[in-house]
Amino acid sequence: MISNQFFNTQHAPIGAHASLTLGFPGARGGMDLERCGAPNQDILIALESNERPGLFDVLPFVNLQAGSESARYVADHAGLGGDNIVLRAFAQSAIERKFAIASDSWTAGDLTYTLYSPGGAIPDPALGDTLDLQRALVPAVWAEVTVDNTKGTRARTVALGFNRIDPCYGLRHIKGDDGLVGFGSSFDMALVTNHPGAWSAMGMAWQEMLDVVNAPNRKMGLGGQGMVGFDVPAHTSVTLRFAYCFHRAGVATGGMATRYLYNRWFDSTEAVGRFALREFDDAKQRALRADEKLRNSALSDAQKFTVAHATRSYLFSTQMLEQNGQPLWNVNEGEYNMINTLDLVPDHSLYEVQQHPWTVRNVLDQYTARYSFTDSITWRGETVDGGISFTHDMGAAAVFMPPATSAYERVNLTGCFSQMTMEELLNWVLTAGLYVQASEDLGWLKKNTPVLLQCLQSMERRDHPDAAQRVGVMRWDSTRCGTGREITTYDCIDLSLGQASGNTYLGGKLWAASVVLARLFERVSESDGLARAKHQARLAAATITAAAGADGRIPALLEGRTEAIILPVIEGLAYAHFGGAHEALALDGEFADYFKALSRHMMEHVLRDDTCLYADGGWRISSTSANTFPAKVYVCQFAARHVLRLPIDAINRRADIAHANWQLHPELSAWCWSEQVVDGVLYAAKYYPRGVNSNVWLTE
Amino acid sequence: MISNQFFNTQHAPIGAHASLTLGFPGARGGMDLERCGAPNQDILIALESNERPGLFDVLPFVNLQAGSESARYVADHAGLGGDNIVLRAFAQSAIERKFAIASDSWTAGDLTYTLYSPGGAIPDPALGDTLDLQRALVPAVWAEVTVDNTKGTRARTVALGFNRIDPCYGLRHIKGDDGLVGFGSSFDMALVTNHPGAWSAMGMAWQEMLDVVNAPNRKMGLGGQGMVGFDVPAHTSVTLRFAYCFHRAGVATGGMATRYLYNRWFDSTEAVGRFALREFDDAKQRALRADEKLRNSALSDAQKFTVAHATRSYLFSTQMLEQNGQPLWNVNEGEYNMINTLDLVPDHSLYEVQQHPWTVRNVLDQYTARYSFTDSITWRGETVDGGISFTHDMGAAAVFMPPATSAYERVNLTGCFSQMTMEELLNWVLTAGLYVQASEDLGWLKKNTPVLLQCLQSMERRDHPDAAQRVGVMRWDSTRCGTGREITTYDCIDLSLGQASGNTYLGGKLWAASVVLARLFERVSESDGLARAKHQARLAAATITAAAGADGRIPALLEGRTEAIILPVIEGLAYAHFGGAHEALALDGEFADYFKALSRHMMEHVLRDDTCLYADGGWRISSTSANTFPAKVYVCQFAARHVLRLPIDAINRRADIAHANWQLHPELSAWCWSEQVVDGVLYAAKYYPRGVNSNVWLTE
C-alpha cells in the first residue's frame, strides 16, 4: 500500500537518543545523535558499475551537486585525483525498498543495502549487566551490503560513507590490530567493518577517494568526507557487514548529571563497533524475528506501515541513562525534546509494558520523587488547598528542571504553554494502572497506595472540594495558572480540547482513572479508596451521559461555549482496558448507559464527513479544528473498535490508509513520523515518539 | 584611521580555542568554542529607552527580523507576552566604538558596553599551579555594561543575552547560593554576573522575556533565547560586570587524548564564571595595560589596528592542553584548524618568545618526539638517503595524526597539499633559534645539539648529497612526494613561490637557518657544525647574489621557468634577526654583497607599481600572482625596514593603511583577520593566527 517508498525513517538503537535517519532522496537524512532532526548529511552507498571503471552508481542519499571542499584552500585543485570518477544516482524506478519494523533494505542493480535496528526489550538492569542487556543497549545500527559481481569481469569498488557534520571536530581514521577498519566523526559517531581487505579514506570529495590512482592519499587527514571501501573481485558475490556507531561519553544532561548507561561497557565508538560486529548475527536474527511478528499479524498493510514507522521514531527518542549507578529511563519528545513528557507517558507505556515494564515503573518513580507537588486550586473566585499532581515534563533538551517545575508550563496563559495539572495527574494514575496490570508488581502497588490515595483525593478536589457538589468532571484550576486556565495535551487545538475545566475529554479520562484506581485499590484491599474511586467513576459517567443532548451529541465543554464534536471523549477507555478494569468495561455492565452514550456520539456525530472525517477518510480530533494528532487517533480507533465494539471496519480501513499516507507525503516525509497534521498535511511535532501506541492494535 | 568601525574581531581568552566574536552588524558574531568561524549568533545588548517603557535600543548584533520560535509549537502564540515590547537597533551613526588590543567598547545613548580580553603571558606550568597561571588561562571574556540613568525618571531594564547554537543541548538557568546569576548553553558556554538584583530569563523571543508582565515566566525551560537582565533605578548610573564563559570538559582531542589544562581548576562554566568575576579587577587592569602599551608605541594608527586585530585572531587559535598531566601547547590554524601547523610556528614564535617562550619549546619538543622523520631524497632520477625533517602539521580539527604524518601532505602532487619537507625543516631550525635567543635556555640547546646537527646535515643533503656540488639552495625533493614535487608554505601561489626546488625564497630561509645554526653551534662550542653552517650560509648567499641578473632582479627559481618578482626572498632575514645572528646581519659585514643584492632587488624590482605593489599601495608576495599573504608581508616589511634599513617610509606607511583597510572590508570583515587576499579583497584563510607576527614592529 506504500504510496511513496522514498520517505525518511529512523533506524535507531534503543536508549541511545540516536538514529541513522534515511530514505528521503538527497542529503536529507544522516546520523542523528541527540539532534532531534535529520542533520541533512550525505549518506554514501556507492557501487562501481560494471559498465566502466570509475563510474559509480549510488543510492540517492547524497548531494551530488556539492563542490569540492578543496576550493577553501586553493582555487585550482587539479591533480587531487578523481577527475575521471563519476557518481550518478540510481534511477528511483530502479530501486526496490523493503521496509519493515526492524529492517529496511534497498536493492538496485547488483547492490543490496540493508539496515537492521532490532529494538526489542531491555532487561531490567537490576538483574545484572547481562550479555542481553549489552546487546539491547549497544548504540549501533547494523548494515549489510551485498554486491553480486558474479557476472562481473573485473573488480568493482563498493563504498559506504558520510560527511562530517560536527562544527568543531574532524573525521578520524579507525584501524585496529584486530582488523577493525573505518572512520569516526568527532568522538560520537563512526562507521566500521571488520571485513578483511576493507580500507578507509578521508578527503574533500567522494570522487577523489574513489580514484584508485589516488589511493595512497586516502589516509590523509584533511577533508569532511569519510568512506569505507572494498574492492569486490570479479566473478564473486560478497556480503560485507558494517556498524554505524554512536557514543556519548561523560555527563549527558544538565540540571541533574546523568550518563548513558552503555558507558558501563563501551568507552568509545570503537568499542561499540567491535561489540556490534561480534554480535551481528544476534542483532540480525532479532530484527528478522520482529519483522516476522508484525508481518504475520492480522493488521492491514497500512496499519503495519504505521506501527513500523512510528515505533522507529519512538526508539530514537529513548534514552537509557544512569545517575549514580541507578538506571534512569527517558523518552524524549521528538523534535520538542522535552524529558519524559508526562502527556506522552501513558501512550509510550502502552508499548513499554509489553516490552520492559520496569522502564514504566522507573518513570513513575521519577515523577513521584522529583516532579510531584501539591498546589492550591481556584474556581469562581474561591481558592482552597488542592492536592498532589505532577509536572508536564522534567525538562527539555537534556536539561533537567528544578524539582516540581517543568520546562513547558507558564503562568497567566489560557492556551499553549499553560499548566496541565489535571491532565498530568490523570496520566500518572493511568500509567500506574498500566504498569501494575502488566507487571503484577504488587510490591510496588502496596508501596504506592498512599500516593494513589493522594491522587484520588486530588482528583476529587479538582472536581469540587465540597463532596456534595461533585459531578465527576474537573472544574477547579490549579493556582499555578496565575491569571490563566489549565489546558490539556491538545494544547494547539481550540477551546474544545484546549480548555481543561469542564472538558468531557478529560472527564472521560477521569472516569478511566477512577475505574483503574478502583481496580488497584481492590487488589490491595483498600476499601475506602475503592468505594470513593467507584463513586467518582459513577459521577463522571453519569455527568457525561447526561450531558449528551437529545441528538446524542456529547458537548466538548459541560458549560457549552463550543459546538465542537470531539473524538477523544472515548480515549480514556483504552487506558482503562490496559489498566485491567475489565469488569467496569463490560459493555452490558454497570456503565452500559455511558458506553451507549459514547457509542452514539461516535456513530452519529464524530464519524461523519461533515464533522471529524477528512475528505480522505482520516480522523479529526475535533470538528472545529483543522489540526489533528494522529497518535491520539490511533488510540481512539482502538477504543472505538476494540472496547466499544463499534461496527466501523470500513471506516477504520479507510482511515488507516489515509493516516499512513499522511506520513508518506512526498516532501514532508523527510520529517519521519509526525504528530501534528493540518488538513491531512504534516505540520509539526516531527520525529515524534507517541505513535508507538499504535502497537495496541496488535493485541486486538 | 579606521575606515569601518563595524568589523568582527575576536575577543578571546588565551589557550581556550574560544572567542566572543563581535563587531559586524547583524547576527554575524557569537560565542565560538572550537568552531573556527563565527556561529552567526544573536548577541543581545539592550537598554530600555528613556522615551517610553518597553521600547528597547539594542546594539546592532542581533537579527531583529527573526520570528518567535513558539511558531513551532503553536500557530497562534498570542498571550505569551512581549506584544508591547519593541526592539530597535541604535543607528550606526549613533554608536562610537573604541577598539584596542585587549579592550573593545561600544557607546550609544546612555549605554556603554566594554569587553576585556587581556591576553598576555602564560606562566610556565612547570612553576606550579599559581594564581597567575589560573588568571592567564581562565576561559572567559570579561564584559562591563554601564547605564547612565542619572537623567532617567524611571527604572530602565538593561539586558545581555545570546541564543542557543548547540544542535543538541538546550539553555539552562544558573543560580548559585553565592549570588551567581545567568544562563548556560549546552555545558560549554555561559553568561553570568553576580550583580545583586540581576535576573536570568529563557524564552522563545527577546520581547517575551523583556516584558515585565511576563516576568514569572522568565524561569521557564523552553526556548532558544537566554538573557541576563537588571532594572536600573531612576536617577542612577550603574555598572554591571559579566563574564562570558567557555568550558570544554573531558577528552578534547582524538588520535591522542588530551584535555584543556584549565580543567585542573575549573570543572564547569559556573566555576569559570565565579573565578572570572572574582578576578575582574585584575583582568581589566591587565587589559588596560596592554592597550596602553600599544597605544604608547611609535606605530602608526594603521599599524596599531593591525597588531590589535591580528593578535586577537591568534589568541582564539591557541589551545593550552595537557596530556597525562604534561602541558601541550597548540596554535590551531584559523579556519583550517590544523594542529600546530609548522608553516606558521616561526611566525607565532616571533610573538610567543616575547610572551612565554616555554610554549615555543613545548612545540619544538612535540615535533621532535612525534612528528619528525627521516626520508629519502631524489633529483634528476637519482635517489639517496635524505635526513631528518618534520611534518607540515600534527593533525586537523582536534584529531592528532599518527606519528610522522601530517593531515595536510599528500603524495603525487605538484601544488597545494604536496609535501613541505624542506620548508618545515627550516622552520624547525629557525624556531629553535628564536627560542634559544629569547630564553637563554642553554640546557635545552645542549640537549638538542644532536638534533640541530641532524638538521644541518639534512639541509646540506637536500641541497646536494655530494658536498662538491652544493650551491646553498635546496634542489632534492623528498621521495615522500611520490611522483610530485615539494612545495612551500605559499601553496596557493603560482610556481614562483609554490615550487620548493631551486626557489630563492627558500634559499633565503636556508641562509637564515644557516646563520642561526652557526650562532647556536657557536654557543655550545660545536665547531664542526659551526664551520659547516657558516659554509652553507656562504654558499646560499653567493648563489642568490650571483643569480641576480644584470638588472638586479633575483629570479624566483634558479632554473628560470618564471619571470616572477618575489618579495619573500628577504623574509628569512627577520628570523635570523630574532635568532640572534647579529654578526651575520651586519650590513657591512661578511654578507654585505648579499644584502646589497637583496636591497637592490627590493628597491628596483619588488616595490614598484607594475610588480609587487597593488594600486592601493599594499604589497604582493609575487608579481605574477593576484593572491597575497598579509602576515608574510608584515614580516617582510620588518625585514626591509629594520634589517636591510631600506629608505621606504612612505611606501611602508601607504602599505600599512592598505593592509589595514583590507581587513576592514565592509562585508568581508565578518571573517576577522584573514591571511589570503586576492587583489585587495579578503579571500580565504579566515580567522587566521599568523598576523600576530606584526608584533615584531613593536621592537623597531
Side-chain angles (χ1 to χ4, degrees), chain A residues 113-191:
Chain A
Y113 172 77
T114 307
L115 294 171
Y116 300 104
S117 46
I122 305 176
D124 188 343
L127 304 176
D129 282 5
T130 61
L131 177 61
D132 281 345
L133 184 61
Q134 297 172 39
R135 283 170 165 170
L137 293 177
V138 62
V141 177
W142 290 264
E144 227 169 30
V145 176
T146 298
V147 175
D148 179 357
N149 197 27
T150 47
K151 293 181 189 156
T153 51
R154 57 169 177 266
R156 290 156 68 189
T157 297
V158 61
L160 264 56
F162 60 78
N163 63 301
R164 167 182 166 183
I165 51 173
D166 190 282
C168 304
Y169 292 95
L171 301 182
R172 65 183 200 283
H173 290 279
I174 293 173
K175 192 163 179 56
D177 294 337
D178 56 354
L180 193 74
V181 171
F183 68 97
S185 176
S186 180
F187 306 120
D188 55 18
M189 32 189 90
L191 173 60

Side-chain angles (χ1 to χ4, degrees), chain A residues 33-35 70-75 78-80 164 167-172 187 203-204 208 213-214 216-217 219-222 248 251-255 335-338 396-399 401 406-413 416-417 491-492 676 683-685, chain B residues 33-35 70-75 78-80 164 167-172 187 203-204 208 213-214 216-217 219-222 248 251-255 335-338 396-399 401 406-413 416-417 491-492 676 683-685:
Chain A
L33 177 58
E34 300 175 339
R35 284 175 182 254
S70 61
R72 276 179 60 224
Y73 295 79
V74 58
L80 291 187
R164 167 182 166 183
C168 304
Y169 292 95
L171 301 182
R172 65 183 200 283
F187 306 120
M204 299 184 181
E208 215 182 86
V213 173
N214 196 40
N217 288 324
K219 68 178 192 300
M220 66 116 48
L222 282 186
R248 177 74 76 204
V251 175
T253 55
E335 69 157 324
Y336 300 142
N337 204 16
M338 281 176 270
V399 177
M401 290 294 282
S406 72
Y408 174 98
E409 288 158 307
R410 304 193 189 195
V411 306
N412 302 346
L413 296 175
C416 195
F417 305 120
D491 56 5
C492 60
Q676 281 195 42
Y683 164 70
Chain B
L33 177 58
E34 301 175 338
R35 284 176 182 252
S70 61
R72 277 178 60 223
Y73 296 78
V74 57
L80 291 188
R164 167 182 167 184
C168 305
Y169 293 96
L171 301 182
R172 65 183 200 284
F187 307 120
M204 299 185 183
E208 217 182 85
V213 172
N214 196 40
N217 288 324
K219 67 179 191 301
M220 65 120 41
L222 281 185
R248 176 74 76 205
V251 175
T253 54
E335 69 157 326
Y336 300 141
N337 204 16
M338 282 176 269
V399 177
M401 289 293 283
S406 72
Y408 175 97
E409 289 158 305
R410 303 192 189 196
V411 307
N412 303 345
L413 295 175
C416 196
F417 304 120
D491 56 6
C492 59
Q676 281 193 41
Y683 164 70

